[in-house]
Amino acid sequence: MSGSRIKVTLYNRTFKEIDMSDFTRITEGIFSNRDDIVEVAFPEGVEVIAPNAFENCRRLEKVEFPKSLKSIENEAFINCLSLKEADYGKNVTVAPDAFKGCINL
């Protein structure tokens, strides 16, 4: 069931799919300090991006959020210097510092 996987594009253009038993919450720090992630697509069902989940992912350029998303928490994407696209919709609660240091947003 590919609908319940997080799709990650790495810097060398390979793809990685991650199965999660409980993917309603992307856990704290799960992808922090990864220099090889360029793009992430979350499956439907993800509701929360926890604090610092993608902290210091300096090559991350694009994030695709699902319609099910409810909340992006503190510093979830802090210092993602290359992030250019993050369309999370209107009904999402976003911490004031969720995208701190994302100079290209």
Side-chain angles (χ1 to χ4, degrees), residues 12-31:
N12 61 7
R13 295 298 178 221
T14 57
F15 292 94
K16 184 175 182 181
E17 290 196 356
I18 299 161
D19 276 315
M20 296 181 70
S21 53
D22 173 21
F23 59 89
T24 58
R25 180 179 176 85
I26 304 305
T27 53
E28 188 164 345
I30 188 169
F31 295 109

Side-chain angles (χ1 to χ4, degrees), residues 24 28 35 44-45 48 59 85 90 96:
T24 58
E28 188 164 345
D35 230 12
E44 281 303 320
V48 177
R59 286 196 168 119
E85 198 173 326
K90 294 182 185 130

